[in-house]
Each structure stands twice: as structure tokens, then as C-alpha cells.
Amino acid sequence: MKLTQTLKLSAIAMGLSLSTASAMAAAPSTPIVSSNITKEEVLAAQKAWGDAIVKISATYDKKGIEKAKKLAAGIIDDTYAYDMGPVLFKPTLAPLPVNIRTTKEGALSYFVGDNENFPSDGGFALKGWTDVESKNAAVQLHGKTAMTIGNVMFTDSKGKVTTVDKTWGYIKDDEGNVRIILHHSSLPYSTN
Amino acid sequence: MKLTQTLKLSAIAMGLSLSTASAMAAAPSTPIVSSNITKEEVLAAQKAWGDAIVKISATYDKKGIEKAKKLAAGIIDDTYAYDMGPVLFKPTLAPLPVNIRTTKEGALSYFVGDNENFPSDGGFALKGWTDVESKNAAVQLHGKTAMTIGNVMFTDSKGKVTTVDKTWGYIKDDEGNVRIILHHSSLPYSTN
Amino acid sequence: MKLTQTLKLSAIAMGLSLSTASAMAAAPSTPIVSSNITKEEVLAAQKAWGDAIVKISATYDKKGIEKAKKLAAGIIDDTYAYDMGPVLFKPTLAPLPVNIRTTKEGALSYFVGDNENFPSDGGFALKGWTDVESKNAAVQLHGKTAMTIGNVMFTDSKGKVTTVDKTWGYIKDDEGNVRIILHHSSLPYSTN
Amino acid sequence: MKLTQTLKLSAIAMGLSLSTASAMAAAPSTPIVSSNITKEEVLAAQKAWGDAIVKISATYDKKGIEKAKKLAAGIIDDTYAYDMGPVLFKPTLAPLPVNIRTTKEGALSYFVGDNENFPSDGGFALKGWTDVESKNAAVQLHGKTAMTIGNVMFTDSKGKVTTVDKTWGYIKDDEGNVRIILHHSSLPYSTN
């Protein structure tokens, strides 16, 4: 654990929170250690994921599949917690029996395809996405983990919007990074 | 909080856990308080949910919609944490814009229908389910919360099996009950 | 669990936290459920404990031991989590072998004495305390639990100040109450 | 975070816990990720701390102060979470105003002395301790943190036993190490 800087920042954030001019007046310099995720960190993690998808799409368009794969691999390392153990990841377009991707290999294949173990993967992040917007229905904060549910809207290069139902679970690691431990995405149910 | 009995049981469970004939020998009677969910509690909660769906179906068949609704309302109170705040619930067959049911009313409508605010709801638990099986791909335990992902197989009265992708989130309340705080269910992706 | 109101307030508090005019602008009405203790709740719990000690002292002075005992019993129910299981409580003036009070009976005896099972107890809260001040050296926030260490200064009716080393542990229950689960108090070490 | 191996072991431990021959039969290979501390890990951390004190004493006796200091510094790095932020540490023999040691420097000085910023420190771990025994009154487990209270008995080279009141708080880091975040120790209260 190398939390010193992260937690000092965290302490500042908490020290200033909402609250309590009076409490702060009474205890102006009390150091705070917090292992909790904040709502702001959750929203930032959602935005970072969407930005990453757009970036992979752009990299694929401009620089080809190898650069896109390398970028995606780094993004998965940074944003998912696969080094912690199995991630609970059900991607939008992943059919049975490869519907759940508890390993990094499965996640990478979903985003950039080109893996014979997952022949149905076309590379979700290669589809020319230009914008990703998140809309949360609710957020839950439980210590170092958080969960959200809502919709995410993907816009492609023609302006067409695809909406998915999306659930996220996050964990804050010892370095203060918020990482994905759960990601269930699905196309909205339709009777058509 | 009235945790005394629950936690004594919990203490017994923990005291006996795997482990540590030697530790127990060294500290035979140390009382343990734990607010953590165990894997066994998670599996029991999954089974209880499946059994409840079967029971609502049977009640509807034998006793009609009013009895089924009453039963379902009680089951939701017991198994979901709606009294704690918004639950992150995306039911399998719930289309936009009523795809997410953060309130008890929305959950009840999904299971037994008959609510004009959710006209698309046919009553999922009324479909004659005779068996529900869960298969977890992975389980995460984080203090008083837990998350799982996997598939659930519903068998109807004709023996037809419907498989869904399902993510659960649970919380252990102060009475020691494990309640649902997150439930994302979706039909498997298919290119057909 | 009956968290609705508590957590709505909690949601408001979190929604407004520090933070993020921009985040709030982007998601103005996202409901937040949080099971985490905040620093402000910890400071409020410390103040409430000190105020309670002063109130028991005043009640004893003005209304006698029976009223003081009744008041203390109610305060222990409200501020300590004995209904959850053993509390980790080592009071300042409790000698071996009754140094640790994991039960409500032991806590009550420490504060108001008059219990033959704890003959060394003189009734700490009966000592005419007129003011209690807390000074934290550091605070740690870990989900629904928090811990602090520091000094507490008790002033008696003559203006004499007694300083103790004090460690607190707190838990936030399902109703949103912050309760004491750990309390280690000791006289400062002195070579005299 | 590099939790893979640690958590696989953890998964094995949990998989085998108490429990549920039947649950395991039903889900023989479900991977489990757990961030929770177990009672066994807490007891092991207590034993490791006691063993470390004895080892520092022996090193001082046999190899002198410099070796003892170096050993103590490494032990503090391994067993306390100072790299995470302020640790809530009130050592037994630390008088006001240096009673609380939220920094590693303060902890090291307490154990091996020889620091002009803490002139009252004689070096607690240099006192020839030959045995350290812990006796817990109760243990609390809350996710990745745990707390205990009880007594610890230190035996010196003459066989004299010193008993202290001791409260511990622990955190499990991302590598699966259990580290001290809270340590309040005090001599038992005595009217003599």
C-alpha cells in the first residue's frame, strides 16, 4: 500500500465535505484516513470508461487493430480489477456459453475481438463509437465498494444511438484507484 | 438493532470455521461479532429467491391473483431491501422506459403485474415456474455486501427451460438477514 | 431495516457533499444510498457522548442516583451497540479483572456504580463533570465503521481538568444511528 | 493490486469454511473473491506482533542497538499500516504530549528509543521480553477491518509478567496482508 498521497487528497476532500464549518473549526487539522468510495469517484469512473471506449474506436479507425488492441489491454488493466481475481462481467453482446468474462482475456476479446476462444466477438469497442453517456437510476455506496444501475447511450459515427441497461460495481484499491469488479450490460428487453 | 441471537449464531459459525483447531484451543470462548456475509448466506439467499418464484407461481395457479399478489408483496419485503432505499433492479422482461425498478411498487408489478403504471408487466412470477436453478460464475464478498454473476434456469410446467444472465448484489442487515440490493437480469444475447 | 427516511437524509447530505457542482449538474436527481459513516457523524457521536456524561452528572446532583441510573441506562442503549453483541469497552478507571466491559451491565456499573458484581466501580459519570472536550489525533473511516484516537478532557465542578487517552470505534446501524462498538480509555502514562 | 494468488488461497479457505458440504456440492468450483479479514488472520496478526517483540529483544541482547533498530523498522513496515496514513497508536508507556504515535518515526522510537524527538522513550522492545501472550475478550469483524480488545502478558528474562490492556484494529490490504491501523495499550488501572 502506498496510500499517503492519495489519502492526503482524500482527507482534504473529506475535510472540506459539505459540512460542518463548526466541526472543522473545532478540529481544523485532524488527519482523516478513508477507504470509502465517494459518489464523485464513481461518476468519474463511469466517464473514464466511456471515454476509453471512444478512444479505442478512434485508435482503431486511425491506427489499426494492433494499436487498438494494445490500448484496450492497458485500459482493461487500469479500469477493471482482473488482478484482484474474477471480475463479474457480462458484456452486452456476449452470447451463451461465453456470456460471462471473468478473465482479462475474455474482456479484451469482447472489446477488440480477434480471439479464437471467443469466435462470436466482433470487437465492441471497434464499432466507431464517438460518444458515450451514462444515466444513473441510483447509486449505492458501501465502504470501498459501490454499485450503480442505469442506462448508457452509445453514439456511433453516423449519429445513431444505442441504449443499453447497465449495472456497475466498483472497488477502491489501496492506491485509491476505483476499479470495476462488476459490469452487467444488456440490450433493453423488447417484445419485437 | 437486535443482533444478539443472530450474532451469537454467527459467532458459532465463525468460531467453528475451517480453521484453527489451534486457534480455538488457544481462545476457546472468545466471542466474535461479524457483520460480514458468508458465501453460504449468499447461496441460501439465491435459493430462497428461486423457491419464492416457484411458490408464487403455485399460489397463483391454485389460489388466484389476489393470494399471489399478497404472497409476492411479503416476499419482496423479506428478500429485497426496498426499506433501505432504492434497489438496483433491472428485471429480465422490463422494457424501456420502465426497465429499472428502484421501488417496491415496480418490483411487485414486475412479479405479479396488474399495475397500470407498468402496463408492459405480464407478471413474471405467474408464468407457472416449477423449478429455478442458479449457477454462479463467480462470487465476491466485501464485508456486509456481496455480489454474484451467473445464469439462472427457470423451468415451466411443460418442462421448458428459460436461461437468463443474472447479477445479484446483497446486503446483510442488522438482524442478520441477507437482502437484495442489486438484481440485473437479462435474456442472453442472440444474433437471431 | 427502516432506512427510508434516514437514508434520504443521508442521500441529501451526500448529494450535496463538497463536490461536484458539475457532477450534480450532470445527475441532479440520482438517488444515493450510503451505508458509510461520515467524519461529521463521528464528531457528532463524540460530542453526544460527552454531553451525556455531563447530563448524568447533573441529574445525579439534582435528582439522585435512581434518576441518574435510569438516564444512564437509556444513554447506553442509544450510544453503545450492546444489542449487537459484545462491545469492546475498557473504561478509564476499571482495574483487573473487571477491566473490560463487553456487556451493558458492566458499562452501566462503570458509569453509575452500585453493582456488587463490579465493587470497584465508583460511578464515573457521577463525579460532577461539567464539561467534556474531545481532541482527535486522527480519524479513520472504513465503510459503516470508523475509529478515532485522541484525548478527552473532563472538567469537574471545581474547574479541575482530567485528561485521558481515548480510542473510539463506531458503527452505523441500519437506522442511520452511529453507535459505539469500541471504547478504550486510559489515564496517561506517568513515571511519577 | 496483485491479489491473484492471495485471493486464490483466500478462496480455498472460504470454500472449505465450516459449511456446507451441500453448498460446495452444488457449486464445487465457483471462484470466490473476498476482501474480508477472518478471525484466524486476526489471531495470526496478534501472534506475529508478539513474536516480533520477542525477536527485537533477543536481537538487542545479542547484536546490539543498531541491529535491533533495523529489525524494528522492518517489522513496523510489515505489521503497521503507516504507508496508508496515520495509524491510531497509543503505546503503553508513552506520556503526554507524545502519547499518540500517528507516524512511523514515533512508533520506531517507542520500540527502540534513541530519538531526541521522543526523549521519554526507553525502547519498549529492548526490555528483554521472552514471551508475549494475548487473551482476547472479544473480536469484531467488519469487512476488511477488524477490532479486538483484551489483555497481553509480557514475560521478561527473569520470568516477571507485565499485563496490559490492549485494543487492536486491523486492515487487510490488497495483497492480503493484515496490518495494524489501531493500537491502544495501557497499564491496568490501579488505585495503589
Side-chain angles (χ1 to χ4, degrees):
Chain A
M1 291 195 293
K2 293 179 184 174
L3 292 190
T4 314
Q5 287 187 306
T6 304
L7 283 163
K8 277 183 187 161
L9 289 172
S10 198
I12 291 165
M14 305 236 22
L16 297 178
S17 75
L18 149 103
S19 34
T20 62
S22 62
M24 292 312 293
S29 60
T30 304
I32 308 285
V33 174
S34 173
S35 55
N36 301 335
I37 299 187
T38 65
K39 177 193 167 189
E40 291 72 39
E41 289 171 327
V42 167
L43 298 180
Q46 291 180 337
K47 186 171 186 318
W49 184 89
D51 291 349
I53 296 296
V54 170
K55 192 171 180 186
I56 298 169
S57 276
T59 299
Y60 177 58
D61 267 3
K62 294 172 192 162
K63 302 184 181 172
I65 183 63
E66 290 310 318
K67 295 283 188 187
K69 286 173 80 166
K70 191 174 173 186
L71 175 63
I75 285 169
I76 291 170
D77 283 340
D78 288 344
T79 59
Y80 288 79
Y82 282 107
D83 53 359
M84 182 186 147
V87 172
L88 313 182
F89 182 18
K90 206 298 288 178
T92 317
L93 307 179
L96 289 166
V98 289
N99 53 330
I100 298 174
R101 309 296 171 93
T102 54
T103 65
K104 183 187 170 184
E105 180 194 2
L108 183 62
S109 175
Y110 182 71
F111 288 120
V112 296
D114 201 20
N115 184 323
E116 59 187 12
N117 294 325
F118 301 91
S120 54
D121 286 345
F124 179 81
L126 309 181
K127 292 175 177 291
W129 305 116
T130 58
D131 189 58
V132 179
E133 293 290 326
S134 296
K135 186 178 166 189
N136 292 301
V139 173
Q140 298 211 2
L141 305 174
H142 300 294
K144 69 171 187 171
T145 63
M147 307 175 210
T148 71
I149 200 163
N151 287 101
V152 173
M153 284 67 66
F154 299 84
T155 304
D156 71 11
S157 60
K158 314 284 185 178
K160 180 170 172 253
V161 176
T162 300
T163 296
V164 304
D165 295 330
K166 197 172 286 277
T167 294
W168 295 110
Y170 298 100
I171 198 165
K172 191 173 187 172
D173 70 21
D174 284 348
E175 282 74 34
N177 304 306
V178 173
R179 317 269 297 282
I180 299 164
I181 50 174
L182 180 159
H183 178 185
H184 186 149
S185 190
S186 54
L187 294 176
Y189 176 69
S190 165
T191 53
N192 298 325
Chain B
M1 291 195 293
K2 294 179 184 176
L3 293 191
T4 313
Q5 288 186 308
T6 304
L7 283 164
K8 277 183 188 160
L9 289 172
S10 197
I12 291 166
M14 304 235 24
L16 296 178
S17 76
L18 144 109
S19 27
T20 62
S22 62
M24 293 311 293
S29 60
T30 304
I32 308 285
V33 174
S34 173
S35 55
N36 301 335
I37 300 187
T38 65
K39 176 193 167 189
E40 291 72 40
E41 290 172 326
V42 168
L43 298 180
Q46 290 181 337
K47 184 170 188 318
W49 185 89
D51 291 349
I53 296 296
V54 171
K55 193 172 180 186
I56 297 169
S57 275
T59 298
Y60 176 59
D61 268 3
K62 295 173 190 161
K63 301 185 181 172
I65 183 65
E66 289 310 318
K67 295 283 189 187
K69 287 173 80 166
K70 191 175 174 186
L71 175 63
I75 285 169
I76 292 169
D77 284 340
D78 288 344
T79 58
Y80 288 79
Y82 282 107
D83 53 358
M84 182 187 148
V87 172
L88 313 183
F89 182 18
K90 205 297 288 179
T92 317
L93 307 179
L96 290 165
V98 289
N99 53 330
I100 297 172
R101 308 297 172 92
T102 54
T103 65
K104 182 187 171 184
E105 180 193 2
L108 183 61
S109 176
Y110 181 72
F111 287 120
V112 296
D114 202 21
N115 184 321
E116 60 188 12
N117 293 325
F118 301 91
S120 55
D121 285 346
F124 179 81
L126 309 181
K127 291 175 178 292
W129 305 116
T130 59
D131 189 58
V132 179
E133 294 289 327
S134 295
K135 186 178 166 189
N136 291 302
V139 174
Q140 297 212 1
L141 305 175
H142 299 293
K144 68 171 189 172
T145 63
M147 309 177 211
T148 71
I149 200 163
N151 286 101
V152 174
M153 285 65 67
F154 298 85
T155 305
D156 71 12
S157 58
K158 315 284 185 178
K160 181 172 172 250
V161 175
T162 300
T163 296
V164 303
D165 294 330
K166 196 171 288 277
T167 294
W168 294 110
Y170 298 99
I171 199 165
K172 191 172 186 172
D173 71 19
D174 284 347
E175 282 74 33
N177 304 305
V178 172
R179 317 269 299 281
I180 300 163
I181 52 176
L182 181 159
H183 179 186
H184 187 149
S185 190
S186 54
L187 294 175
Y189 176 70
S190 166
T191 53
N192 298 325
Chain C
M1 290 197 292
K2 292 179 184 175
L3 293 190
T4 313
Q5 287 187 306
T6 303
L7 283 164
K8 276 184 187 161
L9 289 173
S10 195
I12 290 166
M14 306 238 18
L16 297 178
S17 76
L18 144 108
S19 16
T20 62
S22 63
M24 294 311 294
S29 60
T30 304
I32 308 284
V33 174
S34 173
S35 55
N36 301 336
I37 300 188
T38 64
K39 177 194 167 189
E40 291 72 40
E41 290 171 327
V42 168
L43 298 179
Q46 291 181 337
K47 185 172 187 318
W49 185 89
D51 291 350
I53 296 296
V54 170
K55 194 171 179 186
I56 297 169
S57 276
T59 299
Y60 177 58
D61 267 3
K62 294 173 191 161
K63 301 184 181 172
I65 183 65
E66 289 310 317
K67 295 283 188 188
K69 286 173 81 167
K70 191 174 174 185
L71 175 63
I75 285 169
I76 291 170
D77 284 340
D78 288 345
T79 59
Y80 288 79
Y82 281 107
D83 54 357
M84 183 187 147
V87 172
L88 314 182
F89 182 18
K90 206 297 287 178
T92 316
L93 307 180
L96 290 166
V98 288
N99 54 328
I100 297 173
R101 309 295 172 93
T102 55
T103 66
K104 182 186 170 185
E105 181 194 2
L108 183 60
S109 176
Y110 181 72
F111 288 120
V112 296
D114 201 20
N115 185 321
E116 61 187 12
N117 294 323
F118 301 91
S120 54
D121 285 346
F124 179 81
L126 308 182
K127 292 176 177 290
W129 305 117
T130 59
D131 190 57
V132 179
E133 293 290 327
S134 296
K135 185 177 166 189
N136 292 302
V139 174
Q140 297 212 2
L141 305 174
H142 299 294
K144 69 171 187 172
T145 63
M147 307 174 212
T148 71
I149 201 164
N151 287 100
V152 174
M153 283 66 67
F154 298 84
T155 305
D156 71 11
S157 60
K158 315 285 185 177
K160 180 170 173 254
V161 176
T162 300
T163 296
V164 303
D165 294 330
K166 197 174 284 280
T167 293
W168 294 109
Y170 298 100
I171 199 165
K172 191 173 187 173
D173 71 19
D174 285 348
E175 282 74 32
N177 304 305
V178 173
R179 317 270 297 284
I180 299 163
I181 51 174
L182 180 160
H183 179 185
H184 186 149
S185 191
S186 54
L187 293 176
Y189 176 69
S190 167
T191 52
N192 299 325
Chain D
M1 290 195 292
K2 292 179 184 176
L3 292 190
T4 313
Q5 287 187 307
T6 303
L7 283 163
K8 276 184 187 159
L9 289 173
S10 196
I12 290 166
M14 305 237 22
L16 297 178
S17 75
L18 145 110
S19 32
T20 62
S22 62
M24 293 311 295
S29 60
T30 304
I32 309 284
V33 175
S34 173
S35 55
N36 300 336
I37 299 187
T38 64
K39 176 194 167 189
E40 291 71 41
E41 290 171 326
V42 167
L43 298 180
Q46 291 181 336
K47 184 170 187 319
W49 185 90
D51 291 348
I53 295 297
V54 170
K55 193 172 179 186
I56 297 169
S57 276
T59 299
Y60 176 58
D61 267 2
K62 295 172 191 162
K63 302 184 181 172
I65 183 65
E66 289 310 316
K67 295 282 188 188
K69 286 173 81 165
K70 191 174 174 186
L71 176 63
I75 285 169
I76 292 169
D77 284 340
D78 289 344
T79 59
Y80 288 79
Y82 281 107
D83 54 357
M84 182 187 149
V87 172
L88 313 183
F89 182 18
K90 206 296 289 178
T92 317
L93 306 180
L96 289 167
V98 289
N99 54 329
I100 298 173
R101 308 296 171 92
T102 54
T103 65
K104 182 187 170 184
E105 180 194 1
L108 183 61
S109 176
Y110 181 72
F111 289 119
V112 295
D114 200 21
N115 184 323
E116 61 187 12
N117 294 325
F118 301 92
S120 54
D121 286 346
F124 179 81
L126 308 182
K127 292 176 179 291
W129 305 116
T130 58
D131 189 58
V132 179
E133 293 290 326
S134 296
K135 186 177 166 189
N136 291 301
V139 173
Q140 298 211 1
L141 305 174
H142 300 293
K144 68 171 186 172
T145 63
M147 308 175 212
T148 71
I149 200 164
N151 286 100
V152 174
M153 282 68 65
F154 298 84
T155 305
D156 71 11
S157 59
K158 315 284 185 180
K160 180 169 172 253
V161 176
T162 300
T163 296
V164 303
D165 295 330
K166 196 172 287 279
T167 293
W168 295 110
Y170 298 99
I171 198 165
K172 192 172 187 172
D173 70 20
D174 284 349
E175 282 74 32
N177 304 306
V178 173
R179 316 271 296 282
I180 300 164
I181 52 175
L182 180 159
H183 179 185
H184 186 150
S185 190
S186 54
L187 294 175
Y189 175 70
S190 166
T191 53
N192 299 325

